[in-house]
């Protein structure tokens, strides 16, 4: 009864994936619940996927990948690839897949995809091509790269251990490399031929990076701030030293706004010539040698500087000085029911209430930059605010009166990570080194990389890291892993495998090899390559010993077949990772993957017995 129920649940799950009417992660969770409700799995068995090292590693790799993207390392790598490939999209396509295969030879296919994903998306966006043309090939070649070296894929380690358990020598580091090279070349040729026919080429909302971006240069240009931003140095004999800004009444007297203050060494810490910036507010105390960043008309600023014996300096980069790691800008719209409509900026007490400065108002294309305190706000006004990123983030949660447009949190992360591409690159190389030399388990190496991305500032904070995790992919993989346990517990795999081996045993070792390979490939479309190898490697070993055939032929065939997971998005974590990023449907994998499965079956059934004779 449980065997029948297991196959029914599997069939319904596949059907729901194929219809694409229900999100993949929800389908996977429903399947998991069905296994528990019908008593096939215990709750502990059903939830085991969420503590699986593969799932933890995927989550951590999202963090590493985000650091690579945020720091601009992905863009730099993409630009280098573009330089090498010139104007040829075909050359770029092939070069990219060769690099993926090379990287994948020394780390897991999941890790390869997670690391290369931001680079590939960055390249696609830069040449204005849909990422969907690159991401399925990325996943497939990463899977193929698992046959390049012993450590590149768990199935290789599993079959090697099975050989050792049965008294044979383990596989060498490069024993299966010839198989991997042939498989990768074959797959690249196939993908080149079908890239403009079978691969989808439509952009959707999940792929686009063309959203509203409030860059500093755009702000200066649109609000005409280039002539209204000034830098002022506080001299020794200035009358404003040790006075709070509130006492000076600058907006009322001079019609100017001090946006931020750049100070010298923090009080009590004079060992290093360090500076820091703070948002200017009513309680800010002016100190000697402070740099005041002021917005206003030239005549008003000059009058202010003359009255208080201040030194005016050129504004070196009026765009970039608007933002820093701590301070940023955002545009805010008033809602139709906003309580701020009809009130002046002074009456609202905007700075006191939100701890943000108002730099300007965009009123139907007219930019108001003077006498901010006296301006009455109207519905439809776009208000340019400046202040601490955390305060802007808090303002985003204020939905009754205002709506923050654009992505200030994203921009804050980019600003914080600026100039840290070398650090991100070093972290990535360290992580790969730890994995190649097996210093720690792969998941620990990846977690080290993720933590380093955060503490070195490549990502702004933990909230930033969590925001970059694709939880749809994480939940999908975690919820699907226990399916292998259900199939194993109910005996479903054993029944099917015994039947095929019995049916094909009369055709000799080659017939059984074909049967084992096909059965491994079929089940590999629905369960992880690791689980598939664990289940079929012992069966293949028994079959080889029974027929006095070379066990290496059967073991390598199982390792190869377990990695040929192309026909469904749930066939491997790599497919699940690109599913959302590429905006794919279930049938996209079927259209591209099934022909490749057939081609690889023919190639493997020729190459494996040729290189490892019976």
């Amino acid at each position: 009864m449980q065997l029948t129920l297991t196959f029914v649940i599997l069939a319904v799950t596949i059907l729901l994936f194929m219809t694409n009417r229900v999100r993949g992660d929800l389908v996977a969770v429903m399947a998991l619940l069905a296994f528990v409700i019908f008593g096939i799995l215990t709750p502990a068995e059903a939830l085991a996927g969420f503590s699986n090292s593969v799932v933890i590693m995927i989550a951590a790799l999202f963090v590493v990948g985000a650091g690579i993207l945020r720091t601009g390392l992905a863009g730099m790598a993409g630009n280098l690839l573009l330089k090498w490939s010139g104007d040829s999209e075909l050359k770029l396509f092939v070069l990219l897949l060769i690099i993926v295969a090379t990287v994948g030879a020394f780390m897991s296919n999941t890790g390869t995809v997670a690391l290369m994903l931001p680079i590939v998306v960055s390249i696609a966006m830069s040449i204005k091509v849909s990422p969907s043309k690159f991401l399925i090939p990325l996943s497939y070649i990463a899977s193929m790269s698992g046959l390049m070296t012993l450590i590149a894929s768990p199935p290789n380690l599993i079959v090697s251990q099975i050989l050792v358990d049965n008294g044979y020598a383990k596989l060498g580091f490069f024993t299966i490399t010839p198989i991997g090279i042939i498989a990768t070349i074959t797959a690249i040729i196939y993908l080149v031929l079908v890239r403009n026919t079978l691969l989808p080429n439509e952009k959707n909302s999940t792929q686009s990076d063309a959203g509203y971006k409030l860059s500093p240069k755009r702000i200066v240009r649109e609000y005409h701030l280039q002539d209204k931003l000034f830098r002022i140095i506080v001299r020794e004999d200035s009358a404003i030293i040790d006075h709070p800004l509130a006492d000076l009444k600058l907006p009322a007297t001079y019609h100017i706004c001090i946006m931020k203050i750049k100070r010298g060494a923090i009080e009590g810490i004079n060992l290093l010539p360090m500076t820091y910036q703070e948002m200017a507010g009513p309680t800010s105390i002016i100190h000697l040698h402070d740099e005041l960043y002021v917005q206003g008309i030239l005549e008003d600023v000059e009058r202010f500087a003359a009255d208080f014996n201040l030194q005016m300096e050129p504004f070196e980069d009026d765009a970039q000085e608007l933002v820093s790691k701590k301070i940023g800008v955002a545009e805010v719209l008033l809602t139709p029911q906003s309580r701020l409509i009809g009130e002046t900026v002074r009456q609202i007490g905007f700075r006191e209430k939100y701890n943000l400065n108002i730099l300007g108002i965009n009123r139907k294309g007219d930019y108001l930059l003077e006498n901010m305190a006296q301006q009455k706000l109207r519905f439809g006004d776009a208000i340019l605010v400046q202040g601490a990123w955390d305060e802007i983030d808090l303002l985003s949660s204020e939905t009754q009166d205002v709506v923050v447009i654009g992505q200030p949190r994203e921009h804050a992360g980019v600003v914080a990570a600026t100039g840290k591409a070398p650090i991100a690159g070093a972290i990535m190389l360290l992580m790969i080194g730890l994995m190649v030399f097996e210093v720690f388990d792969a998941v620990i190496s990846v977690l080290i990389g993720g933590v380093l991305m955060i503490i070195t500032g490549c990502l702004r904070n933990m909230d930033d890291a969590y925001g970059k995790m694709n939880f749809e992919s994480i939940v999908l993989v975690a919820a699907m892993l226990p399916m292998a346990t259900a199939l194993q517990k109910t005996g479903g795999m054993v029944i099917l495998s015994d039947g095929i081996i019995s049916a094909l045993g009369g055709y000799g070792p080659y017939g059984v090899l074909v049967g084992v390979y096909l059965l491994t490939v079929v089940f590999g479309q629905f369960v992880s390559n690791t689980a598939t190898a664990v289940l079929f490697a012992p069966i293949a070993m028994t079959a080889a010993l029974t027929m006095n055939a070379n066990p290496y032929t059967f073991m390598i065939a199982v390792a190869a077949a377990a990695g040929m997971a192309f026909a469904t998005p749930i066939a491997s974590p790599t497919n699940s990772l690109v599913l959302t990023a590429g905006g794919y449907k279930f049938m996209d994998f079927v259209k591209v993957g099934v022909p490749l499965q057939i081609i690889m079956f023919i190639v493997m059934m020729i190459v494996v017995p040729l290189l490892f004779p019976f």
Side-chain angles (χ1 to χ4, degrees), residues 239-527:
I240 67 172
I241 293 176
D242 295 331
H243 284 276
L245 285 179
D247 292 352
L248 302 177
K249 297 181 172 52
L250 299 182
T253 307
Y254 296 97
H255 310 297
I256 64 173
C257 170
I258 296 182
M259 301 183 299
K260 68 176 183 180
I261 303 172
K262 184 180 287 187
R263 301 192 187 278
I266 300 174
E267 186 176 352
I269 305 178
N270 298 310
L271 297 177
L272 296 173
M274 59 190 297
T275 62
Y276 72 101
Q277 302 179 45
E278 70 173 52
M279 159 78 176
T283 59
S284 298
I285 305 294
I286 305 301
H287 300 302
L288 177 63
H289 301 313
D290 279 353
E291 293 183 19
L292 310 180
Y293 288 81
V294 181
Q295 181 221 355
I297 298 174
L298 177 60
E299 292 78 7
D300 291 334
V301 177
E302 287 179 336
R303 185 161 56 94
F304 165 63
D307 288 351
F308 291 99
N309 194 24
L310 302 169
Q311 178 182 339
M312 291 185 64
E313 293 288 341
F315 211 115
E316 296 172 356
D317 190 340
D318 48 9
Q320 293 305 321
E321 285 294 351
L322 285 174
V323 296
S324 67
K325 183 176 180 180
K326 298 290 185 182
I327 298 173
V329 291
E331 263 187 332
V332 175
L333 293 178
L334 300 183
T335 64
Q337 297 80 29
S338 176
R339 294 168 295 183
L340 308 184
I341 294 174
E343 301 287 331
T344 66
V345 172
R346 177 175 293 173
Q347 289 171 333
I348 295 168
F350 196 90
R351 177 183 283 200
E352 291 75 17
K353 183 176 182 180
Y354 298 109
N355 202 25
L356 296 169
N357 294 319
I358 293 182
L359 300 185
I361 299 173
N362 178 356
R363 182 166 292 161
K364 298 180 180 179
D366 292 329
Y367 293 90
L368 310 177
L369 303 172
E370 302 173 19
N371 300 323
M372 287 290 102
Q374 307 303 323
Q375 294 291 342
K376 279 192 175 184
L377 300 180
R378 303 176 188 174
F379 172 63
D381 283 352
I383 306 169
L384 180 65
V385 299
Q386 181 248 7
W389 286 116
D390 291 339
E391 301 294 345
I392 294 173
D393 206 22
L394 284 175
L395 185 64
S396 300
S397 61
E398 172 65 71
T399 57
Q400 180 179 353
D401 296 320
V402 296
V403 176
V404 177
I405 58 177
Q407 297 177 314
R409 181 178 294 184
E410 182 72 18
H411 196 71
V414 172
V415 171
T418 299
K420 294 186 176 179
I423 296 175
I427 292 171
M428 183 182 72
L429 291 175
L430 172 65
M431 185 188 74
I432 293 174
L434 292 176
M435 295 175 74
V436 169
F437 295 105
E438 300 182 45
V439 179
F440 305 106
D441 288 343
V443 63
I444 299 301
S445 299
V446 175
L447 282 171
I448 290 172
V451 170
L452 287 176
M453 284 291 182
I454 297 168
I455 64 177
T456 58
C458 295
L459 290 176
R460 194 161 156 248
N461 48 38
M462 284 299 292
D463 289 337
D464 204 9
Y466 287 132
K468 287 301 175 183
M469 292 181 186
N470 186 330
F471 285 99
E472 180 179 352
S473 296
I474 294 169
V475 172
L476 174 64
V477 174
M480 289 303 298
L481 284 174
M483 186 172 287
T485 306
L487 289 167
Q488 187 175 20
K489 280 185 69 175
T490 57
M493 280 194 171
V494 174
I495 291 172
L496 288 177
S497 60
D498 285 349
I500 289 180
I501 292 173
S502 298
L504 297 175
Y507 295 97
Y510 194 86
V512 175
L513 181 70
V514 169
V516 169
Y517 183 93
L518 287 176
L519 190 60
T520 305
V521 164
V522 169
F523 276 90
Q525 306 313 303
F526 308 107
V527 296

Side-chain angles (χ1 to χ4, degrees), residues 52-132:
N52 189 284
S53 62
V54 172
V55 175
I56 304 300
M57 187 166 68
I58 289 173
L61 282 166
F62 276 122
V63 177
V64 175
I68 292 170
L69 186 61
R70 270 283 173 78
T71 57
L73 182 62
M76 293 165 61
N79 290 336
L80 191 59
L81 277 174
L82 289 171
K83 181 180 178 181
W84 288 346
S85 61
D87 297 328
S88 172
E89 184 186 328
L90 172 60
K91 189 176 178 182
L92 172 64
F93 187 84
V94 174
L95 188 61
L96 187 63
L97 296 186
I98 291 173
I99 290 174
V100 170
T102 304
V103 173
F106 301 99
M107 60 187 301
S108 73
N109 53 10
T110 303
T112 302
V113 171
L115 282 176
M116 294 298 296
L117 188 61
I119 297 174
V120 172
V121 171
S122 176
I123 291 173
M125 293 302 184
S126 67
I127 61 174
K128 302 188 186 314
V129 173
S130 172
S132 59

Side-chain angles (χ1 to χ4, degrees), residues 113-250:
V113 171
L115 282 176
M116 294 298 296
L117 188 61
I119 297 174
V120 172
V121 171
S122 176
I123 291 173
M125 293 302 184
S126 67
I127 61 174
K128 302 188 186 314
V129 173
S130 172
S132 59
K133 286 192 69 174
F134 292 91
L135 294 185
I136 278 182
L138 166 65
S139 176
Y140 288 178
I141 296 302
S143 295
M144 291 293 186
S145 70
L147 292 171
M148 289 290 193
T149 63
L150 179 66
I151 66 167
S153 178
N156 302 342
L157 299 172
I158 291 167
V159 300
S160 180
Q161 187 60 45
I162 294 293
L163 286 166
V164 172
D165 292 344
N166 284 270
Y168 294 87
K170 70 176 183 177
L171 296 178
F173 194 85
F174 295 109
T175 299
I176 59 174
T177 301
I179 301 289
I181 292 173
I182 293 170
T184 300
I185 292 173
T186 303
I188 290 176
I189 293 172
Y190 166 78
L191 290 168
V192 166
L193 295 175
V194 305
R195 78 185 198 283
N196 292 322
T197 53
L198 296 182
L199 285 169
N201 193 29
E202 302 86 14
K203 270 195 176 185
N204 64 19
S205 59
T206 64
Q207 301 169 332
S208 178
D209 71 344
Y212 185 89
K213 292 186 177 179
L214 194 68
S215 69
K217 289 185 179 179
R218 174 185 168 276
I219 293 166
V220 169
R221 184 179 67 253
E222 290 196 2
Y223 279 83
H224 310 292
L225 293 174
Q226 57 267 26
D227 299 323
K228 298 179 176 64
L229 298 176
F230 303 91
R231 186 165 65 100
I232 291 179
I233 310 297
V234 179
R235 292 173 171 171
E236 291 184 6
D237 54 352
S238 175
I240 67 172
I241 293 176
D242 295 331
H243 284 276
L245 285 179
D247 292 352
L248 302 177
K249 297 181 172 52
L250 299 182

